[in-house]
């Protein structure tokens, strides 16, 4: 499995997580509007509550459809990690192998498939590389995305150890910080020496962009795609919530 495949899976996992969180926020707003409308019989002039509610339901419908699309893409990508054959064949194969597994050592029971081993090997090879990571600073209310360096990837626990090399602005956080993060909190960057295999981001795509001269990332939407491989994208920064 190529690094582009790995990046695609992790990127879609992150997008699915974002969609679900945004759906939760929209549903909270819908519930607030329902409570507000409980005390009203007819919409008063200048009151756009019903229009606002309709817009929220439309947004919720679009988010739900996007979630279905991303989930379908993830299923297709994850199918490459699964052994071939029909579900019935898998079940019969598993039942037949269960007897054999009882006679094997524990170390032989849980061997990953070749495709999964390739994925884990690729992630282990990220040692020393910079990646995007979702972390929560001490006493911070929200998680944030920053650029970190991979120190180690444990294939058994599938946990990354990463280092935030850029110290904070205040004196108390001037030391470099280490984090232990799951695979879903990591997005590898494409190799700078070979950008021909880098993923393309069409206009409207939600991405993470880096503030120039920093290791901080921010959420943005692609406005204009790049013309050639060595040029930049034009993006629009999302408003902070």
């Amino acid at each position: 499995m190529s690094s582009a495949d790995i990046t695609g899976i992790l990127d879609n996992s992150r997008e699915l997580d974002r969609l679900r969180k945004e759906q939760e926020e929209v549903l909270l707003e819908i519930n607030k509007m329902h409570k507000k409308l409980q005390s009203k019989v007819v919409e008063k002039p200048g009151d756009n509550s019903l229009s606002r509610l309709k817009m929220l339901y439309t947004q919720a419908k679009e988010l739900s459809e996007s979630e279905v699309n991303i989930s379908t893409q993830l299923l297709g990508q994850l199918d490459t990690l699964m052994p071939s054959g029909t579900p019935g064949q898998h079940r019969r194969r598993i039942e037949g192998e269960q007897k054999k597994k009882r006679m094997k050592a524990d170390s032989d029971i849980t061997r990953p498939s070749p495709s999964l081993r390739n994925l884990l090997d690729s992630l282990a090879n990220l040692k020393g590389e910079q990646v995007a990571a979702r972390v929560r600073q001490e006493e911070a209310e929200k998680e944030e995305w920053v650029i970190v360096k991979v120190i180690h990837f444990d294939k058994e626990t599938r946990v990354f150890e990463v280092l935030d090399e850029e110290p904070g602005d205040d004196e108390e956080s001037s030391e470099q910080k280490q984090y232990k993060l799951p695979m879903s909190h990591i997005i590898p960057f494409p190799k700078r020496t070979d950008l021909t295999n880098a993923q393309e981001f069409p206009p409207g795509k939600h991405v993470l962009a880096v503030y120039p001269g920093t290791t901080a990332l921010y959420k943005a939407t692609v406005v204009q795609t790049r013309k050639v491989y060595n040029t930049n994208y034009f993006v629009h920064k999302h408003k902070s919530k």
Side-chain angles (χ1 to χ4, degrees), residues 102-136:
R102 296 191 189 101
M103 302 174 65
K104 293 183 179 181
D106 291 341
S107 60
D108 294 329
I109 295 176
T110 56
R111 288 180 180 177
S113 66
S115 298
L116 181 55
R117 284 200 300 270
N118 290 338
L119 171 62
L120 297 177
D121 289 340
S122 299
L123 295 178
N125 289 334
L126 291 174
K127 181 178 180 180
E129 299 285 342
Q130 286 188 322
V131 297
R134 187 174 69 188
V135 303
R136 185 187 297 274

Side-chain angles (χ1 to χ4, degrees), residues 51-238:
S51 299
R52 170 66 176 166
L53 185 60
K54 180 180 178 181
M55 183 190 70
L56 288 171
Y57 271 113
T58 301
Q59 186 178 0
K61 178 177 178 291
E62 293 174 350
L63 288 171
S64 179
E65 292 172 348
S66 297
E67 182 182 359
V68 172
N69 291 334
I70 294 296
S71 298
T72 302
Q73 292 179 32
L74 270 173
L75 286 173
Q77 292 169 322
L78 292 174
D79 278 343
T80 61
L81 302 179
M82 302 292 292
S84 60
T86 64
Q89 291 174 331
H90 290 319
R91 183 168 58 254
R92 289 192 294 271
R93 187 184 301 119
I94 291 172
E95 292 172 352
E97 291 177 350
Q98 283 178 346
K99 295 181 180 179
K100 298 179 182 179
K101 288 182 178 181
R102 296 191 189 101
M103 302 174 65
K104 293 183 179 181
D106 291 341
S107 60
D108 294 329
I109 295 176
T110 56
R111 288 180 180 177
S113 66
S115 298
L116 181 55
R117 284 200 300 270
N118 290 338
L119 171 62
L120 297 177
D121 289 340
S122 299
L123 295 178
N125 289 334
L126 291 174
K127 181 178 180 180
E129 299 285 342
Q130 286 188 322
V131 297
R134 187 174 69 188
V135 303
R136 185 187 297 274
Q137 303 288 355
E138 293 181 3
E139 300 181 356
E141 295 182 358
K142 296 183 179 180
E143 293 179 321
E144 60 181 359
W145 285 90
V146 297
I147 299 176
V148 298
K149 183 172 75 174
V150 176
I151 300 175
H152 176 68
F153 175 70
D154 192 320
K155 296 181 183 179
E156 297 297 325
T157 62
R158 300 174 190 178
V159 171
F160 279 92
E161 291 184 30
V162 299
L163 176 68
D164 185 356
E165 299 179 283
E166 182 175 284
D169 296 331
D170 56 310
E171 295 181 358
E172 294 182 358
S173 61
S174 60
E175 297 182 358
Q176 296 179 340
K177 296 181 180 180
Q178 292 189 21
Y179 299 92
K180 290 187 176 182
L181 303 170
M183 292 169 52
S184 60
H185 285 216
I186 298 293
I187 300 179
F189 293 128
K191 298 290 185 182
R192 294 183 178 179
T193 55
D194 184 16
L195 295 179
T196 57
N197 293 325
Q199 182 180 357
E200 289 294 327
F201 300 103
K205 178 72 173 178
H206 295 291
V207 297
L208 291 172
V210 61
Y211 287 106
T214 73
T215 59
L217 300 168
Y218 61 92
K219 297 179 182 180
T221 300
V222 175
V223 177
Q224 179 179 329
T225 187
R226 60 184 179 180
K227 301 299 182 182
V228 293
Y229 290 116
N230 60 349
T231 58
N232 296 325
Y233 287 91
F234 288 92
V235 299
H236 175 70
K237 183 178 180 296
H238 294 179

